[in-house]
Amino acid sequence: MPTRELYWNIHGHWLLYPLFLIAVGFLVYGYYKRLHLWKMGQPENRWQDIKAGIKDLVVYGLFQKRVLKDPFPGVMHVFIFWGFVILAFATTIVALQADLGMNLFHGGLYVFIKLSANLFGLLAIVGLLMAIWRRYITKPDRLDNKMDDGILLALILIILVTGFLIQAVRMAAKPDPWAIYGFAGYWMASMFQGMSPESLGAFHRFLWWFHLILAMTFIGYFPYSKLSHVLLGLANQFMRKRGPIGIPETIDFEDESLETFGKSRLTEFSWKALFNTDACIRCGRCQDNCPAYLSGKHLNPKRIIQDMRVYMEETGEALQKYAAANPAPAVATEGADEVAAAVEAPTEEELGLRALIGEVIPEEDLWACTTCRSCEQQCPIFVEHVDKTIDMRRNLVLMESRFPSEAQLAFKNMENNGNPWGIGWTSRADFLTGIGVQTIEENPEAEILYWPGCSGAYDARNQKVSAALVKLMQKANVNFAILGNEEKCCGDSARKLGNEYLFYSLATENIEVMNSHGVKKIVTQCPHCFNILKNEYPEFGGKYEVIHHTEYLNELVQSGRLQFNNISANDQKTITYHDSCYLGRYNEIYTQPRELLKVAGLEVREMAHNHEKSFCCGAGGGRMWLEEKEGEHINNMRTDEALRIGTDLVGTACPFCLTMINDGIAAREAEEKVKALDIAEILASKI
């Protein structure tokens, strides 16, 4: 039966047990220290869905779904990860037999372990060599080399190589009828055939102990190194947010006990937010996909997470020193909780710490974010960047009244007139009623509430989109109506810019109006309105079926209610479609817009950044109302990408995107070459 002698040629192998206990002691102590840092954060329940968590561990952890989206580093990481998994499994089986007496390491399992350990061990070496090449030869911008990176690569590589050498020397010294199953060692054994048995035995013992010491060092060093992400990353995948993304934490403005709004101190974040900073593996995919960073802004999502990690360590150390210098007064057990609650936490100044906002994270970085969440979409372990930014914006707006001057004007306009432009609220319905659209008061039996949004009601360019959508719904005999002057801004820009109170006021007023009219189903042409009405209003009592106009038009086409008669095969034009962040990444609507463009007889050609890797237009996160004063304009970069495709048209499904790309086309003086149109406009021209 296939097997081999364990601990052959090794005397005193019992020493591995105390070495192992020492290594595990360092391992446990390392994670114990990190746990105390995470516990500085506020409570948060991330254990609601165990079944989904296990599924994510399989999909994103074991099978590396997101890792593989970036081919070279993806394959590299898979080779190393699966080499690690298979070799750990093999070592466990050997230990169960050699140290616990379980009779496992023989027969089919022995053959499987020998073959898989040799194959995946070699793949792990290939992966490590790829990592060394990438980190020290090609040196992509997103990688910031630290000493720990080199130490780890060298340590793991030496452990793997010595493992194969031990196998080869043993095979050279002792005949093994099953040697071929360990094919890597079998091929290497020929290098040692000329050595004497004594020399082979001595060399084997040296390699074995050297390999063991390195392996124990690896275990003990694990939580203090970048490799800690192997466990923390899996845990982060298990505990990730599910369902609609980007829903900020709600502030209860009726809670009179709240003294601060937003977050300006590390200890105000949840423990999971702090855990995120440790789970981050510094791979830089967020940086590589951040429109603000790529356009030359100072903002770097990776740096924010890593700087918060360093600040977490500084805070933990400072709190320890403060507690030692200021011991809590002894109190009776009864009432101790009340006494503890009454003791105010020390400020950053008392702790001798830098301020989180301004010194650790520059304010301009917080305002540069477009909330496109490309950073989060590309992160292989689901680090949550954007919510931290919004929480800190809230503090600046609600507590410090410190924000860009342009935001002040947008806030004032939304508060006074219910729209960011500041146009009188009594004129909101004028354009749409002027083209024959009824209000819900005039048509209370309407099947659909059409929500044009501020852009569709006030902006001259986007009024053309509203007119096109109205024409299409009328053609399909849809019974629809608008709120008219009762509609206010949905509050998306206010919320993303940190003015949660203004958002709350707008949202609750809109919800009260819609509920009074018994609204059930809403169609909107703005992805920002769509996202907030669908995913964020329910928390405030606004529960409706919300559909984006590309979804709804696709339904009308598929059902046969909407047909086109003005499509000519001889007049086929080309188009490239720009995926809106709030329609695509936030709500995974990618296929319906493209299906509509094909129905309209257009040839769709994709830009380099498309679908979930689409490049932001630059207007999200309230940036529509702010000046872009640093680096290159994001909308110009996206327009350049569209122009490189050389199509006749650029298709959009978002009023902000349409405005930004039109501005980009004008900036590049390309109006004669290409036109930007909303999908509704394209379809309306075909009926």
Side-chain angles (χ1 to χ4, degrees):
M1 181 178 292
T3 189
R4 71 170 176 84
E5 180 184 351
L6 300 178
Y7 295 136
W8 172 82
N9 192 43
I10 303 301
H11 307 294
H13 71 269
W14 58 268
L15 286 171
L16 73 85
Y17 303 122
L19 289 174
F20 179 70
L21 289 176
I22 293 171
V24 170
F26 276 99
L27 177 84
V28 171
Y29 180 67
Y31 281 118
Y32 172 79
K33 287 183 65 178
R34 305 316 294 183
L35 177 63
H36 271 264
L37 293 178
W38 308 329
K39 287 172 69 176
M40 292 190 299
Q42 301 301 309
E44 181 182 4
N45 183 8
R46 285 297 185 99
W47 308 96
Q48 302 98 320
D49 198 338
I50 303 297
K51 185 177 179 180
I54 293 172
K55 179 183 176 182
D56 284 339
L57 279 179
V58 174
V59 174
Y60 298 105
L62 290 180
F63 291 102
Q64 309 272 289
K65 181 179 178 180
R66 279 198 175 183
V67 171
L68 285 167
K69 288 182 178 180
D70 201 347
F72 186 90
V75 170
M76 172 198 82
H77 193 277
V78 166
F79 282 178
I80 297 172
F81 176 80
W82 274 101
F84 183 95
V85 169
I86 296 299
L87 290 172
F89 171 74
T91 301
T92 301
I93 295 299
V94 170
L96 288 174
Q97 176 157 320
D99 304 317
L100 296 180
M102 298 184 185
N103 190 21
L104 301 171
F105 196 50
H106 57 78
L109 183 57
Y110 172 84
V111 172
F112 169 77
I113 287 175
K114 295 298 287 183
L115 287 171
S116 61
N118 276 256
L119 173 60
F120 283 91
L122 288 174
L123 289 177
I125 289 175
V126 171
L128 288 167
L129 295 175
M130 291 169 70
I132 292 169
W133 172 267
R134 183 166 174 267
R135 186 168 288 277
Y136 299 106
I137 306 298
T138 60
K139 298 180 181 178
D141 176 56
R142 75 192 203 190
L143 295 182
D144 53 328
N145 286 321
K146 297 183 178 181
M147 183 180 294
D148 175 58
D149 300 312
I151 291 173
L152 276 176
L153 289 172
L155 178 62
I156 300 172
L157 185 61
I158 294 171
I159 288 173
L160 290 171
V161 171
T162 53
F164 281 118
L165 285 174
I166 291 168
Q167 180 179 230
V169 173
R170 186 184 66 247
M171 289 178 178
K174 181 182 181 183
D176 183 354
W178 318 109
I180 191 62
Y181 296 128
F183 57 88
Y186 182 75
W187 293 331
M188 293 169 64
S190 59
M191 296 188 299
F192 306 103
Q193 291 298 334
M195 295 177 64
S196 66
E198 293 77 13
S199 298
L200 285 170
F203 189 36
H204 175 264
R205 284 190 296 274
F206 166 77
L207 286 173
W208 194 92
W209 284 107
F210 181 61
H211 177 83
L212 177 69
I213 291 170
L214 288 180
M216 296 301 114
T217 302
F218 172 81
I219 293 172
Y221 183 48
F222 203 88
Y224 308 92
S225 72
K226 181 182 178 180
L227 264 186
S228 181
H229 81 266
V230 174
L231 296 181
L232 300 186
L234 292 172
N236 214 49
Q237 290 166 340
F238 179 86
M239 295 185 291
R240 76 177 180 94
K241 285 185 178 179
R242 298 176 184 85
I245 69 170
I247 301 179
E249 179 184 350
T250 300
I251 296 176
D252 183 1
F253 289 104
E254 296 180 4
D255 183 355
E256 295 181 358
S257 67
L258 289 179
E259 297 180 356
T260 61
F261 302 111
K263 296 176 174 61
S264 65
R265 304 171 67 181
L266 193 83
T267 51
E268 292 174 334
F269 288 89
S270 74
W271 72 267
K272 178 59 172 59
L274 304 188
F275 183 89
N276 264 186
T277 67
D278 260 341
C280 173
I281 60 177
R282 298 179 20 245
C283 68
R285 294 191 188 198
C286 56
Q287 172 185 313
D288 262 10
N289 290 277
C290 174
Y293 177 81
L294 294 174
S295 62
K297 314 301 189 278
H298 184 265
L299 169 63
N300 183 330
K302 183 180 82 169
R303 184 169 56 229
I304 285 180
I305 298 299
Q306 288 299 308
D307 286 350
M308 286 187 70
R309 179 180 185 271
V310 171
Y311 190 61
M312 176 176 68
E313 294 170 347
E314 293 175 4
T315 303
E317 185 177 348
L319 283 171
Q320 277 190 331
K321 290 180 180 179
Y322 183 88
N326 301 274
V331 294
T333 302
E334 185 177 351
D337 290 341
E338 289 77 5
V339 173
V343 177
E344 292 187 4
T347 65
E348 282 82 359
E349 291 79 7
E350 290 174 310
L351 293 172
L353 288 168
R354 300 172 290 161
L356 175 62
I357 301 176
E359 293 183 290
V360 178
I361 301 173
E363 287 187 28
E364 60 266 28
D365 287 10
L366 298 178
W367 298 115
C369 177
T370 67
T371 67
C372 71
R373 295 190 187 262
S374 185
C375 53
E376 297 182 3
Q377 188 76 50
Q378 313 310 325
C379 178
I381 58 170
F382 297 90
V383 168
E384 296 153 9
H385 308 74
V386 178
D387 290 345
K388 298 175 180 63
T389 296
I390 293 176
D391 278 332
M392 288 184 274
R393 282 183 178 182
R394 285 174 167 179
N395 182 267
L396 289 173
V397 172
L398 300 175
M399 300 300 298
E400 304 292 333
S401 295
R402 205 162 69 235
F403 43 83
S405 58
E406 315 93 280
Q408 172 66 52
L409 180 60
F411 292 157
K412 182 179 178 181
N413 289 337
M414 283 186 269
E415 184 175 357
N416 293 339
N417 288 293
N419 68 84
W421 285 279
I423 303 171
W425 66 269
T426 57
S427 63
R428 190 178 191 99
D430 288 357
F431 175 74
L432 285 162
T433 55
I435 59 174
V437 179
Q438 293 181 310
T439 66
I440 200 163
E441 285 189 343
E442 297 168 329
N443 180 15
E445 302 302 319
E447 168 197 353
I448 295 290
L449 174 70
Y450 167 41
W451 183 283
C454 299
S455 294
Y458 291 110
D459 178 62
R461 176 62 188 88
N462 280 288
Q463 283 177 343
K464 296 179 181 179
V465 180
S466 301
L469 182 54
V470 166
K471 181 180 178 181
L472 291 166
M473 289 197 290
Q474 289 173 338
K475 175 72 173 178
N477 295 316
V478 177
N479 183 11
F480 68 98
I482 58 172
L483 287 178
N485 294 336
E486 290 186 286
E487 179 187 314
K488 298 288 174 66
C489 177
C490 68
D492 171 76
S493 290
R495 190 171 216 195
K496 301 307 186 291
L497 282 171
N499 197 336
E500 183 71 7
Y501 186 77
L502 177 56
F503 158 75
Y504 176 79
S505 300
L506 292 167
T508 51
E509 187 173 346
N510 281 327
I511 290 167
E512 183 179 354
V513 168
M514 288 191 286
N515 287 349
S516 71
H517 289 296
V519 171
K520 303 295 182 186
K521 192 172 184 178
I522 304 172
V523 170
T524 175
Q525 66 206 51
C526 173
H528 296 264
C529 297
F530 166 69
N531 178 71
I532 211 160
L533 292 172
K534 178 182 179 182
N535 298 323
E536 300 182 30
Y537 270 32
E539 197 164 356
F540 301 90
K543 299 179 180 180
Y544 319 106
E545 180 186 358
V546 187
I547 308 174
H548 187 257
H549 78 298
T550 56
E551 292 181 291
Y552 190 61
L553 292 173
N554 197 50
E555 286 180 15
L556 294 177
V557 170
Q558 297 300 322
S559 66
R561 293 175 66 184
L562 184 59
Q563 298 180 356
F564 306 101
N565 303 313
N566 190 24
I567 299 175
S568 172
N570 298 323
D571 189 35
Q572 188 182 58
K573 290 186 176 181
T574 57
I575 189 169
T576 186
Y577 173 67
H578 165 75
D579 288 287
S580 156
C581 302
Y582 275 71
L583 193 62
R585 274 189 287 270
Y586 275 71
N587 289 283
E588 297 184 344
I589 297 176
Y590 298 111
T591 59
Q592 295 95 324
R594 289 170 169 81
E595 287 175 358
L596 288 172
L597 293 173
K598 291 174 183 176
V599 166
L602 297 170
E603 178 190 340
V604 180
R605 298 177 183 174
E606 298 289 357
M607 285 182 264
H609 293 88
N610 61 77
H611 287 75
E612 64 186 30
K613 295 197 78 169
S614 179
F615 197 81
C616 181
C617 75
R623 291 286 324 170
M624 180 73 181
W625 318 109
L626 307 184
E627 293 294 329
E628 200 166 352
K629 301 172 183 177
E630 184 186 8
E632 190 172 353
H633 283 209
I634 293 171
N635 66 311
N636 290 345
M637 293 178 65
R638 184 55 165 168
T639 301
D640 289 340
E641 191 172 359
L643 291 174
R644 283 194 291 271
I645 302 298
T647 54
D648 302 305
L649 302 170
V650 178
T652 71
C654 171
F656 288 0
C657 296
L658 180 59
T659 299
M660 299 300 278
I661 291 176
N662 266 324
D663 289 349
I665 290 173
R668 297 304 190 230
E669 298 180 350
E671 294 96 331
E672 300 302 319
K673 297 179 182 178
V674 64
K675 289 184 179 180
L677 296 172
D678 187 274
I679 289 176
E681 295 179 288
I682 295 170
L683 294 178
S685 70
K686 303 295 182 180
I687 59 176

